[in-house]
């Protein structure tokens, strides 16, 4: 294949250039034209031609490194996954490669647009590349009377039927989500719970938080409608291999800290563009001790740092989680010992404290205890980031501890049907056999709502818990840009479920240690 | 007019356009080689002259407000988006010889955009570019595409001023100047699409969030250019500017200053073609749509 893969891998200083350099090239298999590697390749080619013209010896065929047996350099997990998906023996950061996609996910907001593009570009009678590799999950604007939103669910249903899509988690009866056996809820959590996330695979989704699935040791990244339409027809996508940033977290996790605090710490450290075009690799003894849901919370907000994807090593915790969820085989990949990282950050987790991200940016980090004077109007616990079973369990734990009622409206939006069920059936540790729902009811929270994305991103005007007037909200969601939850002047403090629950109990932004 | 008649363009002797850019030539053959591994047809198609890569849109005319450079401005601002596509119905479009003239009538493929600029600063996220409540609009439907454009930048703080006037659906600012990390936030393609539908031709930012950059290129809606310095600190909304894609520069006529832009690089031909699908078709990667 026409590729300068035989050239030496770019040095680290070259990689650092990519922050402001050319970010997207269509020259497949070629490193960007201004790189040292390409310069070396250009020189090689010119010389070879010149020699051939004069002496005419037989010109050796350009062979890939694997066949020449040349030394392979160490790769990170992300590089390995992309290499395998591109059927290459190795890849380097900065290279553009065509990868085979294992799964494509879309939802009700971007699905119709993606389908429109697919039909226009491949033909109205075209068939998708693989009816079993597309997962269509309505979750964003479901429980609304907005006609266009409802029409969008109809559009994806028609397409799913027409293409005989295997995985379409439909909802037809909006008045009672439980009456819909197929309906799941928030796409990223549904993907995990239904066994679509598998180590070593490549997943793309038409949503920025697709990176959530990186918790399973796979390459998972968000794309737009056009790229998704392309995958729908071809099963492949052109991807630029990202360099990897490594985050090593060691130390015992304090009892008042949750994974959300860890990722807020990181984003505050590197800023919202600190990981642009990078893979974020999370490792260390603390990460190894995290549950799958914790790991998802960590990888979920990789995009808030500008990251392309996030990864955590697949281990026994991963395999146990997947047990019974998927029958597909998979092969996990791991970073080589000698793999090169662009940057490495080390954290002693035992020294960290609960955090919030103040308005209006996820990197506007502050200690929760230093925001004690900030009066709030409401609390929102939900979304793919903070609406999983363990997130609610954590919030319930704080409420048991406090034994009081909340001082502000507290909205609870479980991510999926399964999570909703758990709230009503699972006993909370230390709760004397009570379930989350009972504890929340006693504390005066709102009744757990329909599982969906809800007000995390505002949505149509009638969305439950949408901020329609300027208010101050502490939320377990992922973005707090102006207008994110509805009103442009709304103020959103991103926090862990512990911090959110503690804040609900006092009516101010509160460090959970007040109740733990 | 030459633009609306691709046949006229095709009959012009390519050698009169000067040297073929080696960049675009190499990319095409390399692209074809790499595409061979795909399971879809890789036959190099004879491309029927296309007038638009999008579903047929009514030809909308931008109401020009500038009195300076009236003829040139009217041309650029009133040119329907699809004209860019019809000029490139040949593979390997030859690059025009650089010239000082701003007369776009005879040199349409110089990719020069001229008009008022709208200035914002850092971390303008997709929720500000197109708030989530408008995401029910499906960009591949022509009427909803236009509607989406009318809501572009509506989530911005009032301090920046109105991007689109109340009674308008298109913006009077074909160029947006921004700071760092423009387009951060969601992966929603609606963001660059809304800007393009509103009439934005190019954004000049310090740098971009990757999904936004990627979506801009894949859709071909806008040229996402990067500046060498913080142009947003030196320009004000309403300044008359010129952006030269091939010249890699931004000229602010109001202040008289010129700025160097980073070359659009390999993303350029993709946007020129009208996005990744058009580009993939021209390089033989996928077949023309079968009806």
């Amino acid at each position: 294949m026409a590729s300068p893969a035989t050239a030496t891998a770019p040095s680290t200083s070259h990689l650092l250039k990519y922050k402001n350099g050319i970010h997207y090239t269509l020259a497949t298999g070629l490193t960007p034209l201004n790189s040292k590697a390409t310069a070396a390749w250009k020189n090689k080619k010119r010389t070879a031609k010149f020699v051939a013209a004069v002496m005419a010896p037989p010109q050796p065929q350009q062979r890939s490194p694997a066949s020449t047996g040349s030394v392979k350099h160490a790769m990170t997990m992300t590089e390995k996954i992309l290499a395998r998906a591109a059927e290459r023996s190795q890849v380097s950061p900065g290279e553009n490669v065509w990868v085979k996609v294992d799964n494509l996910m879309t939802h009700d907001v971007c699905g119709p647009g993606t389908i429109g593009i697919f039909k226009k570009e491949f033909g109205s009678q075209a068939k998708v590349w693989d009816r079993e590799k597309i997962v269509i999950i309505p979750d964003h604007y479901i429980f609304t009377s907005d006609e266009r939103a409802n029409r969008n669910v109809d559009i994806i249903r028609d397409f799913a039927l027409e293409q005989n899509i295997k995985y379409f988690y439909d909802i037809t009866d909006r008045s009672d989500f439980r009456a819909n056996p197929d309906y799941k809820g928030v796409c990223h959590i549904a993907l995990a719970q239904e066994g679509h996330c598998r180590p070593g695979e490549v997943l793309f989704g038409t949503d920025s938080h697709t990176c959530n699935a990186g918790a399973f040791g796979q390459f998972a990244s968000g794309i737009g409608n056009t790229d998704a339409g392309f995958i729908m027809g071809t099963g492949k996508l052109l991807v630029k291999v990202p360099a990897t940033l490594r985050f090593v977290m060691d130390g015992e996790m304090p009892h008042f800290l949750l994974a959300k605090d860890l990722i807020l710490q990181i984003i505050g450290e590197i800023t919202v563009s600190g990981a642009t075009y990078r893979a974020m690799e999370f490792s260390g003894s603390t990460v190894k001790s995290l549950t799958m849901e914790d790991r998802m919370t960590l990888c979920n907000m990789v995009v808030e740092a500008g990251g392309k994807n996030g990864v955590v090593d697949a281990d026994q915790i991963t395999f146990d989680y997947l047990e019974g969820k998927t029958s597909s085989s998979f092969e996990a990949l791991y970073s080589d010992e000698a793999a090169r990282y662009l940057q490495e950050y080390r954290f002693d987790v035992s020294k960290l404290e609960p955090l919030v991200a103040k308005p209006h940016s996820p990197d506007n980090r502050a200690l929760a205890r230093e925001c004690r004077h900030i009066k709030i109007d409401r609390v929102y616990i939900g979304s793919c980031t903070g609406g999983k079973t363990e997130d609610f369990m954590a919030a319930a734990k704080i409420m048991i501890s406090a034994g009081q009622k909340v001082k502000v409206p507290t909205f609870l939006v479980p991510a999926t049907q399964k999570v909703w069920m758990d709230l009503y059936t699972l006993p909370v540790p230390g709760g004397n056999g009570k379930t989350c729902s009972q504890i929340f009811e006693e504390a005066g929270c709102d009744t757990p709502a329909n599982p969906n994305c809800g007000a995390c991103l505002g949505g149509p005007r009638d969305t439950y818990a949408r901020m329609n007037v300027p208010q101050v909200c502490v939320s377990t969601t992922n973005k707090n840009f102006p207008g994110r939850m509805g009103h442009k002047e709304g103020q959103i403090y991103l926090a862990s479920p512990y911090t959110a629950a503690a804040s609900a109990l006092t009516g101010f932004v509160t460090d959970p240690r007040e109740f733990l | 007019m030459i633009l609306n008649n691709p046949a006229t363009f095709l009959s012009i002797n390519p050698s009169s356009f000067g040297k073929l850019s080696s960049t675009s030539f190499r990319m095409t053959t390399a692209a074809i080689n790499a595409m061979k591994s795909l399971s879809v047809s890789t036959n190099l198609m004879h491309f029927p002259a296309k007038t638009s890569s999008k579903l047929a849109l009514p030809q909308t005319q931008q109401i020009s407000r500038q009195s300076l450079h009236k003829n040139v401005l009217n041309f650029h601002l009133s040119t329907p988006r699809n004209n860019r596509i019809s000029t490139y119905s040949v593979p390997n479009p030859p690059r025009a010889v650089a010239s000082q003239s701003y007369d776009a009538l005879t040199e349409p493929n110089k990719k020069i955009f001229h008009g008022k600029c709208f200035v914002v600063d850092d971390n303008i996220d997709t929720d500000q570019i197109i708030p989530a409540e408008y995401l029910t609009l499906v960009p591949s439907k022509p009427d909803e595409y236009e509607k989406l454009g009318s809501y572009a930048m509506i989530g911005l703080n009032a301090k920046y001023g109105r991007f689109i006037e109340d009674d308008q659906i298109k913006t009077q600012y074909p160029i947006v100047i921004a700071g760092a990390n423009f387009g951060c936030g969601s992966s929603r393609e609606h963001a660059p699409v809304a800007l393009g539908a509103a009439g934005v031709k190019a954004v000049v930012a310090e740098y971009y969030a990757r999904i936004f950059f990627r979506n801009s290129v894949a859709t071909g809606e806008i040229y996402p250019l990067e500046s060498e310095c913080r142009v947003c600190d030196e320009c004000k909304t309403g300044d008359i500017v010129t952006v030269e894609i091939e010249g890699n520069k931004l000229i602010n006529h109001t202040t008289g200053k010129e700025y160097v832009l980073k070359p659009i690089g390999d993303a350029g031909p993709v946007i020129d073609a009208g996005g990744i699908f058009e580009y993939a078709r021209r390089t033989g990667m996928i077949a023309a749509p079968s009806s």
Side-chain angles (χ1 to χ4, degrees):
Chain A
M1 83 181 79
S3 151
T6 46
T8 49
S11 66
T12 311
S13 60
H14 159 68
L15 288 174
L16 281 166
K17 202 161 68 163
Y18 279 95
K19 187 174 162 78
N20 289 318
I22 297 172
H23 297 301
Y24 181 96
T25 66
L26 200 58
T28 61
L30 294 170
T31 49
L33 298 167
N34 58 353
S35 76
K36 282 186 205 160
T38 310
W41 174 74
K42 274 192 216 165
N43 284 329
K44 261 182 162 171
K45 269 220 127 182
R46 242 179 264 141
T47 316
K49 271 200 172 133
F50 179 77
V51 168
V54 169
M55 294 171 47
Q59 197 61 31
Q61 296 235 310
Q62 187 163 3
R63 282 142 67 193
S64 67
S67 61
T68 57
S70 66
V71 175
K72 281 193 251 182
H73 67 79
M75 290 192 283
T76 63
M77 187 198 310
T78 300
E79 289 157 26
K80 281 188 174 178
I81 295 173
L82 293 178
R84 187 167 71 183
E87 289 166 348
R88 294 259 305 266
S89 61
Q90 70 177 80
V91 298
S92 299
E95 275 194 80
N96 287 285
V97 292
W98 286 97
V99 299
K100 270 175 144 166
V101 177
D102 292 296
N103 265 313
L104 172 71
M105 183 280 295
T106 190
H107 47 56
D108 56 301
V109 164
C110 293
T114 302
I115 292 164
I117 289 170
F118 169 72
K119 285 188 179 289
K120 181 169 77 90
E121 305 291 351
F122 292 101
S124 56
Q125 303 303 311
K127 292 290 168 206
V128 299
W129 104 95
D130 191 325
R131 58 169 282 274
E132 296 195 13
K133 295 195 172 160
I134 299 177
V135 189
I136 302 185
I137 314 181
D139 65 347
H140 273 56
Y141 303 158
I142 307 300
F143 304 98
T144 169
S145 57
D146 185 299
E147 277 177 14
R148 260 199 316 258
N150 297 336
R151 171 210 61 178
N152 289 345
V153 180
D154 292 340
I155 292 176
I156 55 179
R157 180 181 310 110
D158 290 343
F159 185 75
L161 290 171
E162 169 204 305
Q163 300 279 338
N164 196 14
I165 299 287
K166 188 169 179 188
Y167 303 107
F168 170 53
Y169 300 130
D170 197 5
I171 177 164
T172 44
D173 183 353
R174 259 172 232 105
S175 63
D176 180 5
F177 70 87
R178 283 165 290 174
N180 303 275
D182 293 331
Y183 180 71
K184 306 291 171 208
V186 176
C187 58
H188 307 299
I189 308 308
L191 280 174
Q193 289 178 336
E194 299 307 308
H196 295 297
C197 302
R198 289 174 291 263
E201 291 194 357
V202 171
L203 163 73
F204 286 104
T206 56
D207 193 85
S208 61
H209 295 107
T210 307
C211 49
N212 187 80
F216 289 83
Q218 66 172 139
F219 179 89
S221 192
I223 54 174
N225 298 356
T226 301
D227 280 332
F230 196 91
I231 296 176
M232 255 189 193
T234 63
K236 297 204 178 194
L237 192 67
L238 186 66
V239 180
K240 183 161 121 162
V241 179
T244 302
L245 301 176
R246 193 180 201 207
F247 299 90
V248 186
M249 287 174 273
D250 287 307
E252 201 185 310
M253 191 82 158
H255 68 279
F256 47 79
L257 217 64
L258 292 173
K260 180 69 171 280
D261 296 300
L262 298 180
I263 190 65
L264 286 179
Q265 175 75 27
I266 291 171
I267 297 171
E269 201 70 42
I270 67 176
T271 80
V272 287
S273 57
T276 303
Y277 281 98
R278 308 290 176 233
M280 292 174 71
E281 194 174 299
F282 303 103
S283 56
S285 56
T286 316
V287 174
K288 282 209 198 357
S289 71
L290 295 177
T291 64
M292 283 315 297
E293 290 201 358
D294 288 332
R295 296 174 188 189
M296 281 191 249
T297 305
L298 212 54
C299 292
N300 180 287
M301 288 185 72
V302 151
V303 66
E304 267 66 63
K308 185 161 182 142
N309 69 301
V311 284
V312 174
D313 278 353
D315 55 16
Q316 199 53 50
I317 293 179
T318 321
F319 306 139
D320 289 344
Y321 181 93
L322 287 171
E323 189 76 43
K325 289 193 176 67
T326 180
S327 52
S328 303
S329 62
F330 54 82
E331 191 198 321
L333 291 169
Y334 303 91
S335 294
D336 291 327
E337 273 289 318
R340 274 167 298 176
Y341 297 91
L342 198 55
Q343 285 261 55
E344 192 171 282
Y345 299 84
R346 294 195 160 257
F347 297 89
D348 178 356
V349 167
S350 63
K351 300 213 163 56
L352 298 180
E353 298 183 68
L355 298 169
V356 291
K358 298 190 293 188
H360 296 276
S361 180
D363 65 4
N364 195 3
R365 181 183 66 181
L367 291 169
R369 61 175 165 82
E370 284 177 358
C371 298
R372 192 53 170 85
H373 56 286
I374 294 177
K375 192 164 193 312
I376 64 175
D377 300 305
R378 45 165 56 198
V379 166
Y380 185 96
I381 302 180
S383 83
C384 51
T385 316
K388 307 183 286 296
T389 303
E390 288 173 21
D391 298 313
F392 286 106
M393 288 280 178
K397 202 162 144 194
I398 297 279
M399 300 208 177
I400 297 170
S401 230
Q404 302 162 20
K405 285 204 185 289
V406 294
K407 301 242 175 12
V408 294
T410 303
F411 305 103
L412 311 168
V413 187
T416 63
Q417 282 226 39
K418 278 210 176 89
V419 174
W420 186 92
M421 287 294 297
D422 289 345
L423 296 198
Y424 280 90
T425 53
L426 297 182
V428 181
N432 287 327
K434 292 202 187 127
T435 64
C436 280
S437 59
Q438 288 170 312
I439 292 161
F440 290 140
E441 196 183 318
E442 280 172 16
C445 301
D446 261 37
T447 311
N450 296 319
N452 74 123
C453 295
C456 169
L457 72 161
R461 291 287 160 123
D462 62 347
T463 303
Y464 172 77
R466 187 183 195 276
M467 222 194 301
N468 292 321
V469 292
Q471 287 185 314
V472 182
C473 176
V474 173
S475 168
T476 63
T477 56
N478 43 62
K479 298 202 226 274
N480 59 349
F481 298 114
R484 174 68 181 179
M485 291 185 90
H487 200 281
K488 246 194 251 192
E489 276 131 55
Q491 312 230 3
I492 303 162
Y493 289 77
L494 302 177
S496 78
Y498 275 167
T499 307
S503 306
L505 291 163
T506 63
F508 291 82
V509 175
T510 305
D511 187 306
R513 281 174 287 190
E514 284 191 29
F515 297 103
L516 285 172
Chain B
M1 181 200 289
I2 193 171
L3 280 182
N4 288 327
N5 189 350
T8 316
F9 190 82
L10 278 168
S11 68
I12 294 168
N13 187 341
S15 65
S16 69
F17 280 81
K19 197 158 71 88
L20 265 179
S21 157
S22 59
T23 307
S24 62
F25 181 74
R26 192 195 321 143
M27 276 178 54
T28 308
T29 50
I32 291 172
N33 284 339
M35 305 320 169
K36 280 182 185 155
S37 59
L38 287 189
S39 57
V40 291
S41 162
T42 56
N43 292 326
L44 237 179
M45 297 270 109
H46 160 68
F47 304 103
K50 286 186 75 154
T51 52
S52 172
S53 70
K54 319 233 177 331
L55 297 172
L57 298 174
Q59 307 257 334
T60 49
Q61 297 289 315
Q62 170 79 33
I63 300 163
S64 165
R65 300 208 182 184
Q66 285 78 17
S67 50
L68 302 166
H69 308 286
K70 192 156 184 262
N71 291 336
V72 175
L73 280 181
N74 277 343
F75 174 79
H76 280 296
L77 296 177
S78 64
T79 302
R81 295 184 52 72
N82 51 25
N83 270 2
R84 234 178 18 207
I85 316 310
S86 63
T87 60
Y88 289 105
S89 43
V90 274
N92 302 341
R95 305 274 166 108
V97 174
S99 127
Q100 292 308 303
S101 165
Y102 278 88
D103 186 356
L105 287 173
T106 54
E107 274 159 334
N109 51 346
K110 282 187 73 205
K111 290 171 290 180
I112 295 174
F113 305 114
H114 187 95
K116 287 205 265 190
C117 68
F118 189 87
V119 184
V120 291
D121 44 46
D122 300 333
N123 296 319
I124 301 297
D125 72 287
T126 47
D127 283 298
Q128 294 177 70
I129 298 173
I130 187 76
E133 63 185 291
Y134 303 110
L135 297 186
T136 49
L137 294 164
V138 176
S140 52
K141 292 182 186 293
D143 53 324
E144 295 187 20
Y145 171 86
E146 294 294 321
K147 264 220 177 88
L148 207 56
S150 70
Y151 294 121
M153 303 286 240
I154 206 168
L156 280 182
N157 190 299
K159 73 180 185 196
Y160 294 113
R162 289 298 301 260
F163 186 65
I164 301 178
E165 300 302 319
D166 268 327
D167 55 339
Q168 302 283 325
I169 58 163
K170 299 282 179 195
T171 183
Q172 49 174 309
Y173 306 98
I175 292 143
V176 172
I177 296 180
N181 207 22
F182 186 78
C184 62
S186 169
S187 65
R188 66 189 73 150
E189 201 170 84
H190 304 69
V193 169
L195 290 174
V200 175
K201 301 288 183 230
V203 179
V204 176
E206 208 189 328
Y207 60 90
Y208 296 90
R210 57 156 285 273
I211 310 182
F212 179 88
F213 185 93
R214 195 185 166 106
N215 286 342
S216 300
V217 178
T219 56
E221 286 282 351
I222 55 173
Y223 284 90
L225 301 159
E226 287 183 341
S227 53
E228 297 278 356
C229 67
R230 282 183 67 83
V231 179
C232 58
D233 289 342
E234 302 189 22
C235 297
K236 282 203 327 293
T237 297
D239 285 354
I240 306 291
V241 302
T242 299
V243 171
E244 291 186 23
I245 308 282
E246 284 173 26
N248 298 326
K249 64 173 132 172
L250 168 79
I251 305 164
N252 185 327
H253 299 285
T254 306
T255 61
K257 285 174 124 180
E258 246 184 62
Y259 304 92
V260 176
L261 300 178
K262 294 186 186 164
I264 188 78
D266 295 333
V270 182
I271 305 173
D272 292 344
I276 189 173
F277 276 101
E278 264 311 300
Y279 185 82
R281 229 168 260 125
R282 276 162 212 197
T283 50
M285 205 206 132
I286 55 177
S290 52
S291 52

